Amino acid sequence: MLFFFPENPFSKKGGNIIRAYSNLRIFKKLNIDVDLVGCEGFYKDSGEGFGLDYNYIKNFHLVGRKPTKNLLSLIYWKYKIIKLFSKENKSNFFLTANFKDCFNKILAENSYDYIVISYEFWTDLIRNVNLKGATKIVDTHDWITLNEYYKNPKLDIGKKFNEEIQNLNFYDKVVTISRDEFQVFSNFLGDKVVNIPQGFPSHYEGNPKTFSEKKFDLIFVGSNNPFNVQAVKWFFEMVYPLLPKNLNLCFIGKICEYFKEEPNVHLIPFAENLDDYYYDSKIAICPMLEGTGIKIKVVEALSYGLPVVGTVKAVDGFNSKIQNGCMISNDASEFAENIVKLLSTESLYQSIVQEGITFFDNHFTEKEVENDWKNILN
């Protein structure tokens, strides 16, 4: 398999990256040899070491949007000339002629049974290329048109969505992480669309701490993407003032760059392992207002047996919007009230916990997701 994911799937710094890493784990279990291809710009911009795990990949290729500057190189001058006479790809800044040339060279020198592309806006990487009979699969991750609309309400939605559907239609299989997006895409593309949600190992039986022993009342895990920034800003402006002042909050991830630590607000910019933090927390929060796809932070919290208090967006992509371990409201007062009720009412707390565990076991175990992938990799 050639597996293209622009960022480093071993960096564990965001939900989309956890998704890619989880897929690599599953391909390993299915005895598939994987060549990983990444985007040089993403790896360098992260400022992190590559930290590749060759237990899950056979070969690694890093592709750049432009060649190394060398005035004696024909490749360099070819890129410069093409750049003068071609328009920049407005949907994907990185998708230059050089990027495609380098990617095509990988395809030319190898033969693959499967080619998995992450995100439909990279489709031109394999369009009009000899794929030698490989099965083409796209892991959509998100509904890109809606994501772009959130960022730019003046977006020409019809034009963008038509582009997205045309790209998806190029593939043999279209994988969605969200049940909602499965419904949208399958209306246009039929049976080639398959829903494979995010899977996690179950951690809820290993919790060594009782409710009263836990240090944190609330936990939020998130990267610094704009949707997380908006969510945390709304939480601190609208919900936090309504909560009891003695609650202890834990925030983990690059989202910590956007606010200051206070006596009861603990910031953890990076955690190699989240077990101790989840086991030491009573409730996970997900105050997302925008964004698409499943909120992986919610599924992860459910895998630890935590109830989730969130907005309506917290249950995006779920098969059921009720009895799923989440208490949801877009109203700040009700959001705060849900937190207080869970922390103060043991019977309600245990009821929501059990709903979440049952929902997780029915939809999000690694075994379920492994079987889903097995069904399309045959």
Side-chain angles (χ1 to χ4, degrees):
M1 174 187 290
L2 182 149
F3 183 80
F4 174 77
F5 184 72
E7 301 181 68
N8 183 351
F10 302 107
S11 65
K12 303 178 183 179
K13 63 177 184 178
N16 62 323
I17 293 171
I18 290 172
R19 166 71 165 183
Y21 174 70
S22 297
N23 285 340
L24 289 177
R25 284 167 50 93
I26 289 169
F27 300 149
K28 173 71 173 181
K29 290 182 179 180
L30 297 177
N31 296 314
I32 296 174
D33 290 331
V34 175
D35 284 359
L36 173 66
V37 183
C39 176
E40 183 180 59
F42 282 87
Y43 278 71
K44 288 187 174 180
D45 289 347
S46 69
E48 301 164 356
F50 287 2
L52 301 175
D53 190 339
Y54 281 90
N55 289 314
Y56 299 104
I57 60 174
K58 184 177 181 181
N59 298 299
F60 173 62
H61 304 276
L62 199 57
V63 180
R65 66 181 302 271
K66 57 184 180 180
T68 302
K69 185 175 181 180
N70 181 351
L71 299 181
L72 300 178
S73 168
L74 292 176
I75 294 175
Y76 173 75
W77 286 109
K78 175 187 174 183
Y79 166 77
K80 295 292 286 185
I81 292 170
I82 291 175
K83 185 178 179 182
L84 286 174
F85 294 98
S86 62
K87 293 182 180 179
E88 185 177 285
N89 188 312
K90 293 183 178 180
S91 298
N92 190 336
F93 168 77
F94 290 95
L95 199 52
T96 62
N98 183 73
F99 200 105
K100 289 190 282 188
D101 282 349
C102 294
F103 193 88
N104 291 345
K105 184 179 179 183
I106 298 169
L107 293 174
E109 293 176 350
N110 300 275
S111 294
Y112 298 101
D113 298 298
Y114 309 100
I115 296 174
V116 178
I117 302 293
S118 299
Y119 307 105
E120 56 79 22
F121 50 80
W122 290 96
T123 299
D124 280 351
L125 281 176
I126 57 173
R127 205 192 307 272
N128 301 320
V129 178
N130 181 10
L131 304 178
K132 306 174 187 177
T135 299
K136 308 182 296 295
I137 302 170
V138 60
D139 190 4
T140 58
H141 283 265
D142 292 297
W143 181 2
I144 299 301
T145 299
L146 184 55
N147 250 16
E148 292 300 311
Y149 172 73
Y150 284 137
K151 298 174 186 176
N152 175 23
K154 295 182 179 180
L155 177 75
D156 185 336
I157 297 173
K159 180 180 178 181
K160 182 61 180 176
F161 188 53
N162 179 64
E163 176 186 297
E164 184 169 9
I165 290 296
Q166 292 301 319
N167 282 342
L168 296 178
N169 193 42
F170 173 77
Y171 293 89
D172 301 303
K173 293 292 182 180
V174 176
V175 175
T176 66
I177 190 173
S178 159
R179 189 71 188 180
D180 298 333
E181 289 159 22
F182 167 81
Q183 297 290 353
V184 172
F185 294 145
S186 61
N187 282 329
F188 293 92
L189 302 172
D191 292 341
K192 69 168 58 184
V193 185
V194 181
N195 185 234
I196 303 182
Q198 176 60 35
F200 283 100
S202 60
H203 302 284
Y204 48 79
E205 293 179 348
N207 195 337
K209 296 194 174 184
T210 64
F211 183 88
S212 60
E213 292 173 330
K214 295 182 178 184
K215 177 180 178 181
F216 305 115
D217 296 289
L218 307 178
I219 186 172
F220 178 91
V221 179
S223 67
N224 57 355
N225 75 55
F227 301 130
N228 282 336
V229 173
Q230 178 195 45
V232 171
K233 182 179 179 181
W234 177 81
F235 174 81
F236 274 108
E237 289 182 355
M238 305 299 294
V239 179
Y240 184 67
L242 305 176
L243 295 173
K245 304 307 177 188
N246 62 340
L247 297 190
N248 281 313
L249 286 65
C250 178
F251 289 79
I252 301 176
K254 288 199 170 185
I255 190 63
C256 295
E257 298 170 1
Y258 288 86
F259 51 98
K260 296 180 180 180
E261 192 164 32
E262 298 181 26
N264 66 330
V265 178
H266 306 271
L267 306 182
I268 315 294
F270 178 78
E272 181 67 33
N273 191 316
L274 292 172
D275 286 1
D276 291 341
Y277 295 101
Y278 275 122
Y279 287 149
D280 219 2
S281 301
K282 298 173 183 176
I283 298 171
I285 59 169
C286 182
M288 309 295 289
L289 302 174
E290 295 179 348
T292 59
I294 273 182
K295 304 302 173 279
I296 290 178
K297 60 175 65 65
V298 174
V299 181
E300 187 172 52
L302 295 178
S303 78
Y304 285 88
L306 290 187
V308 177
V309 174
T311 53
V312 172
K313 278 290 180 183
V315 294
D316 262 7
F318 280 14
N319 289 42
S320 174
K321 307 299 183 181
I322 60 173
Q323 295 183 325
N324 50 29
C326 304
M327 296 181 70
I328 61 173
S329 177
N330 280 10
D331 178 78
S333 297
E334 190 171 351
F335 194 109
E337 185 180 339
N338 286 338
I339 291 172
V340 173
K341 286 193 295 187
L342 274 177
L343 291 174
S344 60
T345 311
E346 182 179 356
S347 59
L348 175 64
Y349 185 90
Q350 293 302 330
S351 173
I352 300 299
V353 165
Q354 191 54 55
E355 284 183 0
I357 289 174
T358 300
F359 190 70
F360 174 84
D361 284 344
N362 289 338
H363 299 287
F364 299 118
T365 64
E366 277 197 333
K367 190 63 180 176
E368 287 285 327
V369 175
E370 182 182 333
N371 288 335
D372 290 338
W373 273 110
K374 188 184 295 183
N375 288 336
I376 67 171
L377 298 175
N378 53 31

